[in-house]
Amino acid sequence: KLKGLAEAFRTRRIDHSMFRQPLELSETLSDAERQSVIAKATRRYAITLVTRSFGRGTDFMCADSGLVDNGGVHVVLTFFPEDESECKQCFGRTCRQ
C-alpha cells in the first residue's frame, strides 16, 4: 500500500491548498471539543494529530464517500508502539465500519 501511495503522490499534481489546518486531539480538550475533532478527522483533506492515548479506545468512523473512493483514512505513526497489540489498536481505529 505504501508503494501505491508513493506512486500516487508522484503521478498526481497535489494542490496543497486543499488541505485543512491540522486538527489536534489531546487530553486538554473538553468532551464536546473531542467529539468535534473526531467527526472532522475523517473528512477529505483533513490532517489530525493525535496523542498516544487516543490511538486506543477512539473509533474514527468515515462517512465521506469521496475519502473512501480515494483510499480512505491513512494512519501514520510517529512513535514506536510499545507492543504489537498497541500497533493493531492504532491502525484499527479507522477499520470499524
Side-chain angles (χ1 to χ4, degrees):
K1 289 186 180 185
L2 189 56
K3 288 181 182 180
L5 180 61
E7 182 63 23
F9 277 115
R10 276 194 293 279
T11 59
R12 295 181 187 176
R13 295 189 185 276
I14 297 177
D15 178 5
H16 295 288
S17 66
M18 296 183 303
F19 291 95
R20 297 184 173 103
Q21 181 74 15
L23 302 167
E24 287 186 46
L25 184 58
S26 69
E27 296 82 1
T28 61
L29 300 177
S30 69
D31 287 340
E33 290 171 319
R34 288 179 192 172
Q35 291 305 313
S36 176
V37 169
I38 290 168
K40 293 175 186 173
T42 55
R43 294 183 184 164
R44 278 178 280 184
Y45 311 114
I47 298 170
T48 307
L49 307 173
V50 181
T51 60
R52 176 181 235 135
S53 64
F54 285 99
R56 301 184 82 156
T58 304
D59 291 331
F60 294 87
M61 303 300 288
C62 183
D64 184 336
S65 62
L67 178 65
V68 173
D69 292 343
N70 285 293
V73 174
H74 291 78
V75 176
V76 178
L77 290 179
T78 59
F79 63 90
F80 290 108
E82 292 177 357
D83 56 37
E84 184 66 24
S85 66
E86 182 179 30
C87 186
K88 288 178 183 178
Q89 285 280 322
C90 291
F91 285 100
R93 296 301 97 208
T94 61
C95 297
R96 299 175 193 251
Q97 303 289 319

